[in-house]
Amino acid sequence: MTELAPDEPKFEQVAAILRARIASGEYPPRTRVPSELKLVAEFGINSRTAAKALQALVEAGLTRRVRGMGSFVVPAEGDGAPEQG
Amino acid sequence: MTELAPDEPKFEQVAAILRARIASGEYPPRTRVPSELKLVAEFGINSRTAAKALQALVEAGLTRRVRGMGSFVVPAEGDGAPEQG
DNA sequence: GGAAATTTGTTCGTATGTATA
DNA sequence: TTATACATACGAACAAATTTC
């Protein structure tokens, strides 16, 4: 279980970690990032806090969330297939 | 207490009502819109739901929220004094 | 078509912290 | 200090969409 520093909101810290993983290629375009429950297990946070972290990625334009499916990394512009939605 | 229809999320309905009031001039630019607690009292919703409605206005670019002060209607562009923030 | 599991969406309730007046 | 108001976080329940069996 990853430890989080107390000096910054948890949801922002988790979002920052996920952003770094996306940037590093750990979560390539069109693949899924961890679900709320996975983040709960990994970081020891509440599911609502996990949801807020995932929502922050959406607002940053990095992912899309699809009910019943998960959060998916948004492909960079001009990479081939047209985007849905 | 205003009644809300059950076929649309409450936070969206409340946000829509507030948007209409802003558009009508009931909440002029630079004035405050109702606080979370006021919305709780007016619509009979939970404070977290009220917060979500107010946040929706921010994301629509209609208001700004200031901790300890409230939610303020953002002036239309090119109306005079420069905006803060 | 149904059942179950997974995942996100909405709502409620509560507590605590931070900022302003 | 007190009151007001937003921010963060936890816990819980249920709804809705998707996938898999």
mmCIF file of all heavy atoms in Angstrom, chain A residues 20-49:
data_model
loop_
_atom_site.group_PDB
_atom_site.id
_atom_site.type_symbol
_atom_site.label_atom_id
_atom_site.label_comp_id
_atom_site.label_asym_id
_atom_site.label_seq_id
_atom_site.Cartn_x
_atom_site.Cartn_y
_atom_site.Cartn_z
ATOM 1 N N ALA A 20 1.528 10.693 -13.933
ATOM 2 C CA ALA A 20 2.919 10.309 -14.203
ATOM 3 C C ALA A 20 2.974 8.961 -14.908
ATOM 4 O O ALA A 20 3.777 8.752 -15.822
ATOM 5 C CB ALA A 20 3.705 10.269 -12.892
ATOM 6 N N ARG A 21 2.120 8.057 -14.497
ATOM 7 C CA ARG A 21 2.115 6.729 -15.125
ATOM 8 C C ARG A 21 1.644 6.811 -16.569
ATOM 9 O O ARG A 21 2.134 6.093 -17.436
ATOM 10 C CB ARG A 21 1.207 5.790 -14.322
ATOM 11 C CG ARG A 21 1.778 5.420 -12.967
ATOM 12 C CD ARG A 21 0.825 4.526 -12.205
ATOM 13 N NE ARG A 21 1.335 4.217 -10.878
ATOM 14 C CZ ARG A 21 0.625 3.576 -9.939
ATOM 15 N NH1 ARG A 21 -0.611 3.187 -10.199
ATOM 16 N NH2 ARG A 21 1.162 3.332 -8.758
ATOM 17 N N ILE A 22 0.678 7.689 -16.809
ATOM 18 C CA ILE A 22 0.212 7.876 -18.182
ATOM 19 C C ILE A 22 1.339 8.470 -19.023
ATOM 20 O O ILE A 22 1.621 8.010 -20.133
ATOM 21 C CB ILE A 22 -1.028 8.787 -18.214
ATOM 22 C CG1 ILE A 22 -2.226 8.069 -17.592
ATOM 23 C CG2 ILE A 22 -1.346 9.216 -19.645
ATOM 24 C CD1 ILE A 22 -3.452 8.943 -17.386
ATOM 25 N N ALA A 23 2.012 9.465 -18.475
ATOM 26 C CA ALA A 23 3.097 10.120 -19.214
ATOM 27 C C ALA A 23 4.240 9.148 -19.482
ATOM 28 O O ALA A 23 4.916 9.233 -20.511
ATOM 29 C CB ALA A 23 3.605 11.337 -18.424
ATOM 30 N N SER A 24 4.452 8.235 -18.560
ATOM 31 C CA SER A 24 5.573 7.295 -18.706
ATOM 32 C C SER A 24 5.263 6.165 -19.675
ATOM 33 O O SER A 24 6.163 5.434 -20.088
ATOM 34 C CB SER A 24 5.928 6.689 -17.337
ATOM 35 O OG SER A 24 4.972 5.701 -16.987
ATOM 36 N N GLY A 25 4.001 6.021 -20.022
ATOM 37 C CA GLY A 25 3.632 4.945 -20.923
ATOM 38 C C GLY A 25 3.162 3.694 -20.199
ATOM 39 O O GLY A 25 2.830 2.685 -20.825
ATOM 40 N N GLU A 26 3.148 3.769 -18.881
ATOM 41 C CA GLU A 26 2.682 2.604 -18.118
ATOM 42 C C GLU A 26 1.219 2.302 -18.427
ATOM 43 O O GLU A 26 0.814 1.142 -18.425
ATOM 44 C CB GLU A 26 2.870 2.866 -16.621
ATOM 45 C CG GLU A 26 2.469 1.692 -15.758
ATOM 46 C CD GLU A 26 2.858 1.885 -14.291
ATOM 47 O OE1 GLU A 26 3.703 2.758 -14.004
ATOM 48 O OE2 GLU A 26 2.314 1.149 -13.439
ATOM 49 N N TYR A 27 0.452 3.372 -18.671
ATOM 50 C CA TYR A 27 -0.931 3.210 -19.128
ATOM 51 C C TYR A 27 -1.010 3.825 -20.522
ATOM 52 O O TYR A 27 -1.256 5.019 -20.676
ATOM 53 C CB TYR A 27 -1.901 3.928 -18.199
ATOM 54 C CG TYR A 27 -1.813 3.519 -16.737
ATOM 55 C CD1 TYR A 27 -1.942 4.473 -15.738
ATOM 56 C CD2 TYR A 27 -1.622 2.193 -16.372
ATOM 57 C CE1 TYR A 27 -1.883 4.101 -14.398
ATOM 58 C CE2 TYR A 27 -1.548 1.821 -15.038
ATOM 59 C CZ TYR A 27 -1.677 2.787 -14.053
ATOM 60 O OH TYR A 27 -1.612 2.428 -12.725
ATOM 61 N N PRO A 28 -0.813 3.028 -21.542
ATOM 62 C CA PRO A 28 -0.799 3.574 -22.909
ATOM 63 C C PRO A 28 -2.180 4.064 -23.330
ATOM 64 O O PRO A 28 -3.191 3.731 -22.712
ATOM 65 C CB PRO A 28 -0.380 2.359 -23.759
ATOM 66 C CG PRO A 28 0.195 1.368 -22.791
ATOM 67 C CD PRO A 28 -0.524 1.588 -21.514
ATOM 68 N N PRO A 29 -2.224 4.871 -24.400
ATOM 69 C CA PRO A 29 -3.499 5.359 -24.924
ATOM 70 C C PRO A 29 -4.472 4.215 -25.189
ATOM 71 O O PRO A 29 -4.086 3.140 -25.627
ATOM 72 C CB PRO A 29 -3.103 6.055 -26.223
ATOM 73 C CG PRO A 29 -1.702 6.508 -25.975
ATOM 74 C CD PRO A 29 -1.089 5.445 -25.119
ATOM 75 N N ARG A 30 -5.729 4.461 -24.914
ATOM 76 C CA ARG A 30 -6.847 3.538 -25.135
ATOM 77 C C ARG A 30 -6.877 2.371 -24.152
ATOM 78 O O ARG A 30 -7.753 1.520 -24.259
ATOM 79 C CB ARG A 30 -6.838 2.977 -26.569
ATOM 80 C CG ARG A 30 -6.927 4.058 -27.637
ATOM 81 C CD ARG A 30 -6.977 3.449 -29.036
ATOM 82 N NE ARG A 30 -6.740 4.446 -30.053
ATOM 83 C CZ ARG A 30 -7.651 5.360 -30.438
ATOM 84 N NH1 ARG A 30 -8.827 5.350 -29.881
ATOM 85 N NH2 ARG A 30 -7.362 6.252 -31.355
ATOM 86 N N THR A 31 -5.939 2.320 -23.228
ATOM 87 C CA THR A 31 -6.001 1.271 -22.201
ATOM 88 C C THR A 31 -6.642 1.827 -20.938
ATOM 89 O O THR A 31 -6.832 3.031 -20.802
ATOM 90 C CB THR A 31 -4.600 0.733 -21.862
ATOM 91 O OG1 THR A 31 -3.827 1.764 -21.245
ATOM 92 C CG2 THR A 31 -3.896 0.237 -23.122
ATOM 93 N N ARG A 32 -6.942 0.923 -20.034
ATOM 94 C CA ARG A 32 -7.605 1.326 -18.804
ATOM 95 C C ARG A 32 -6.625 1.714 -17.722
ATOM 96 O O ARG A 32 -5.551 1.129 -17.608
ATOM 97 C CB ARG A 32 -8.472 0.178 -18.275
ATOM 98 C CG ARG A 32 -9.856 0.166 -18.827
ATOM 99 C CD ARG A 32 -10.727 -0.857 -18.111
ATOM 100 N NE ARG A 32 -10.152 -1.294 -16.838
ATOM 101 C CZ ARG A 32 -10.716 -2.205 -16.054
ATOM 102 N NH1 ARG A 32 -11.837 -2.770 -16.430
ATOM 103 N NH2 ARG A 32 -10.151 -2.553 -14.928
ATOM 104 N N VAL A 33 -7.002 2.686 -16.940
ATOM 105 C CA VAL A 33 -6.269 2.993 -15.708
ATOM 106 C C VAL A 33 -7.002 2.259 -14.583
ATOM 107 O O VAL A 33 -8.109 1.782 -14.778
ATOM 108 C CB VAL A 33 -6.208 4.512 -15.443
ATOM 109 C CG1 VAL A 33 -5.630 5.241 -16.639
ATOM 110 C CG2 VAL A 33 -7.570 5.060 -15.104
ATOM 111 N N PRO A 34 -6.401 2.143 -13.401
ATOM 112 C CA PRO A 34 -7.037 1.383 -12.324
ATOM 113 C C PRO A 34 -8.414 1.931 -11.964
ATOM 114 O O PRO A 34 -8.642 3.143 -12.000
ATOM 115 C CB PRO A 34 -6.056 1.541 -11.159
ATOM 116 C CG PRO A 34 -4.724 1.784 -11.808
ATOM 117 C CD PRO A 34 -5.033 2.589 -13.029
ATOM 118 N N SER A 35 -9.295 1.038 -11.618
ATOM 119 C CA SER A 35 -10.644 1.425 -11.201
ATOM 120 C C SER A 35 -10.619 2.036 -9.800
ATOM 121 O O SER A 35 -9.595 2.009 -9.112
ATOM 122 C CB SER A 35 -11.545 0.191 -11.191
ATOM 123 O OG SER A 35 -11.170 -0.680 -10.139
ATOM 124 N N GLU A 36 -11.758 2.589 -9.415
ATOM 125 C CA GLU A 36 -11.878 3.136 -8.060
ATOM 126 C C GLU A 36 -11.447 2.107 -7.018
ATOM 127 O O GLU A 36 -10.647 2.418 -6.117
ATOM 128 C CB GLU A 36 -13.330 3.548 -7.792
ATOM 129 C CG GLU A 36 -13.799 4.732 -8.623
ATOM 130 C CD GLU A 36 -15.249 5.077 -8.332
ATOM 131 O OE1 GLU A 36 -15.822 4.505 -7.379
ATOM 132 O OE2 GLU A 36 -15.828 5.914 -9.054
ATOM 133 N N LEU A 37 -11.962 0.896 -7.162
ATOM 134 C CA LEU A 37 -11.663 -0.120 -6.145
ATOM 135 C C LEU A 37 -10.179 -0.485 -6.134
ATOM 136 O O LEU A 37 -9.620 -0.770 -5.075
ATOM 137 C CB LEU A 37 -12.514 -1.367 -6.379
ATOM 138 C CG LEU A 37 -13.995 -1.196 -6.050
ATOM 139 C CD1 LEU A 37 -14.763 -2.488 -6.277
ATOM 140 C CD2 LEU A 37 -14.157 -0.758 -4.600
ATOM 141 N N LYS A 38 -9.548 -0.472 -7.309
ATOM 142 C CA LYS A 38 -8.114 -0.751 -7.361
ATOM 143 C C LYS A 38 -7.338 0.341 -6.638
ATOM 144 O O LYS A 38 -6.360 0.064 -5.933
ATOM 145 C CB LYS A 38 -7.651 -0.845 -8.825
ATOM 146 C CG LYS A 38 -8.257 -1.995 -9.622
ATOM 147 C CD LYS A 38 -7.678 -3.328 -9.236
ATOM 148 C CE LYS A 38 -8.278 -4.456 -10.067
ATOM 149 N NZ LYS A 38 -8.141 -4.243 -11.531
ATOM 150 N N LEU A 39 -7.768 1.566 -6.815
ATOM 151 C CA LEU A 39 -7.089 2.679 -6.140
ATOM 152 C C LEU A 39 -7.324 2.620 -4.629
ATOM 153 O O LEU A 39 -6.424 2.937 -3.841
ATOM 154 C CB LEU A 39 -7.580 4.018 -6.700
ATOM 155 C CG LEU A 39 -7.265 4.254 -8.182
ATOM 156 C CD1 LEU A 39 -7.812 5.604 -8.630
ATOM 157 C CD2 LEU A 39 -5.774 4.169 -8.459
ATOM 158 N N VAL A 40 -8.498 2.201 -4.250
ATOM 159 C CA VAL A 40 -8.786 2.010 -2.822
ATOM 160 C C VAL A 40 -7.788 1.008 -2.231
ATOM 161 O O VAL A 40 -7.220 1.234 -1.160
ATOM 162 C CB VAL A 40 -10.229 1.506 -2.622
ATOM 163 C CG1 VAL A 40 -10.423 0.979 -1.202
ATOM 164 C CG2 VAL A 40 -11.222 2.625 -2.909
ATOM 165 N N ALA A 41 -7.580 -0.090 -2.955
ATOM 166 C CA ALA A 41 -6.680 -1.134 -2.460
ATOM 167 C C ALA A 41 -5.231 -0.675 -2.472
ATOM 168 O O ALA A 41 -4.470 -0.961 -1.541
ATOM 169 C CB ALA A 41 -6.839 -2.399 -3.310
ATOM 170 N N GLU A 42 -4.859 0.047 -3.535
ATOM 171 C CA GLU A 42 -3.448 0.437 -3.658
ATOM 172 C C GLU A 42 -3.054 1.548 -2.700
ATOM 173 O O GLU A 42 -1.958 1.519 -2.137
ATOM 174 C CB GLU A 42 -3.144 0.869 -5.101
ATOM 175 C CG GLU A 42 -1.694 1.314 -5.269
ATOM 176 C CD GLU A 42 -1.298 1.598 -6.709
ATOM 177 O OE1 GLU A 42 -2.171 1.566 -7.608
ATOM 178 O OE2 GLU A 42 -0.116 1.856 -6.942
ATOM 179 N N PHE A 43 -3.926 2.522 -2.516
ATOM 180 C CA PHE A 43 -3.538 3.712 -1.747
ATOM 181 C C PHE A 43 -4.214 3.813 -0.380
ATOM 182 O O PHE A 43 -3.914 4.737 0.375
ATOM 183 C CB PHE A 43 -3.839 4.974 -2.557
ATOM 184 C CG PHE A 43 -3.049 5.068 -3.837
ATOM 185 C CD1 PHE A 43 -3.636 4.782 -5.065
ATOM 186 C CD2 PHE A 43 -1.702 5.427 -3.811
ATOM 187 C CE1 PHE A 43 -2.909 4.865 -6.240
ATOM 188 C CE2 PHE A 43 -0.965 5.512 -4.993
ATOM 189 C CZ PHE A 43 -1.575 5.223 -6.210
ATOM 190 N N GLY A 44 -5.114 2.891 -0.109
ATOM 191 C CA GLY A 44 -5.771 2.934 1.191
ATOM 192 C C GLY A 44 -6.658 4.139 1.378
ATOM 193 O O GLY A 44 -6.774 4.682 2.468
ATOM 194 N N ILE A 45 -7.285 4.565 0.302
ATOM 195 C CA ILE A 45 -8.179 5.716 0.367
ATOM 196 C C ILE A 45 -9.621 5.265 0.222
ATOM 197 O O ILE A 45 -9.895 4.112 -0.121
ATOM 198 C CB ILE A 45 -7.850 6.742 -0.743
ATOM 199 C CG1 ILE A 45 -7.930 6.072 -2.119
ATOM 200 C CG2 ILE A 45 -6.475 7.357 -0.501
ATOM 201 C CD1 ILE A 45 -7.652 6.992 -3.273
ATOM 202 N N ASN A 46 -10.522 6.184 0.456
ATOM 203 C CA ASN A 46 -11.945 5.923 0.313
ATOM 204 C C ASN A 46 -12.324 5.909 -1.163
ATOM 205 O O ASN A 46 -11.685 6.544 -1.992
ATOM 206 C CB ASN A 46 -12.718 7.015 1.057
ATOM 207 C CG ASN A 46 -14.219 6.745 1.024
ATOM 208 O OD1 ASN A 46 -14.895 7.173 0.113
ATOM 209 N ND2 ASN A 46 -14.711 6.010 1.998
ATOM 210 N N SER A 47 -13.390 5.195 -1.475
ATOM 211 C CA SER A 47 -13.786 5.079 -2.881
ATOM 212 C C SER A 47 -14.191 6.425 -3.482
ATOM 213 O O SER A 47 -13.978 6.680 -4.666
ATOM 214 C CB SER A 47 -14.925 4.080 -3.033
ATOM 215 O OG SER A 47 -16.089 4.563 -2.417
ATOM 216 N N ARG A 48 -14.774 7.304 -2.659
ATOM 217 C CA ARG A 48 -15.159 8.613 -3.164
ATOM 218 C C ARG A 48 -13.932 9.464 -3.466
ATOM 219 O O ARG A 48 -13.930 10.284 -4.378
ATOM 220 C CB ARG A 48 -16.054 9.351 -2.181
ATOM 221 C CG ARG A 48 -17.247 8.540 -1.667
ATOM 222 C CD ARG A 48 -18.008 7.790 -2.750
ATOM 223 N NE ARG A 48 -18.570 8.648 -3.760
ATOM 224 C CZ ARG A 48 -18.258 8.560 -5.043
ATOM 225 N NH1 ARG A 48 -17.367 7.697 -5.474
ATOM 226 N NH2 ARG A 48 -18.827 9.341 -5.906
ATOM 227 N N THR A 49 -12.904 9.274 -2.658
ATOM 228 C CA THR A 49 -11.645 9.985 -2.903
ATOM 229 C C THR A 49 -11.001 9.451 -4.181
ATOM 230 O O THR A 49 -10.469 10.223 -4.992
ATOM 231 C CB THR A 49 -10.699 9.801 -1.709
ATOM 232 O OG1 THR A 49 -11.360 10.233 -0.523
ATOM 233 C CG2 THR A 49 -9.430 10.604 -1.897
#
